[in-house]
Amino acid sequence: MLIYHSRHPKNRVTIVGEYNDGKLCMTAARCSDKDNFCRKVGRDKASARLKLHRNCYSTSVEESTIKNFVEQASKLANFISENVNFKKYIKEGITL
């Protein structure tokens, strides 16, 4: 399991992902403006969603590397930080 924590000043995001069969599956936990950011809580929430395959964003990848994960996770974190209803967009299918 791979973990990425964003550094946005507001709405910090934790992304958790895994490589499976040439695809990268990622899901996220977004911190509210009112909450104190906690890496452990974000990691636990996102990990639980990944295990249940809830609100997962999947993309095909050529290389299963950490660098590739960080690039994809950073794009997803930027999208999620800006969109409160990110779960709806992930279900509908988004392109980063």
Side-chain angles (χ1 to χ4, degrees), residues 45-60:
K45 285 184 178 186
S47 296
R49 290 177 183 152
L50 186 66
K51 287 178 187 174
L52 297 173
H53 298 287
R54 278 185 49 215
N55 304 315
C56 286
Y57 170 74
S58 245
T59 185
S60 296

Side-chain angles (χ1 to χ4, degrees), residues 9-12 30-38 41 45:
K10 291 184 177 180
N11 303 329
R12 289 192 60 184
R30 183 176 175 268
C31 185
S32 167
D33 288 340
K34 298 174 186 172
D35 295 333
N36 288 325
F37 178 71
C38 177
V41 171
K45 285 184 178 186

Side-chain angles (χ1 to χ4, degrees), residues 12-69:
R12 289 192 60 184
V13 179
T14 298
I15 306 288
V16 173
E18 288 182 328
Y19 287 107
N20 288 321
D21 301 325
K23 289 192 172 202
L24 173 60
C25 181
M26 298 181 289
T27 191
R30 183 176 175 268
C31 185
S32 167
D33 288 340
K34 298 174 186 172
D35 295 333
N36 288 325
F37 178 71
C38 177
R39 289 176 180 239
K40 182 181 181 322
V41 171
R43 182 182 62 238
D44 291 347
K45 285 184 178 186
S47 296
R49 290 177 183 152
L50 186 66
K51 287 178 187 174
L52 297 173
H53 298 287
R54 278 185 49 215
N55 304 315
C56 286
Y57 170 74
S58 245
T59 185
S60 296
V61 292
E62 293 179 17
E63 295 182 46
S64 300
T65 63
I66 293 173
K67 180 180 178 183
N68 191 25
F69 168 73

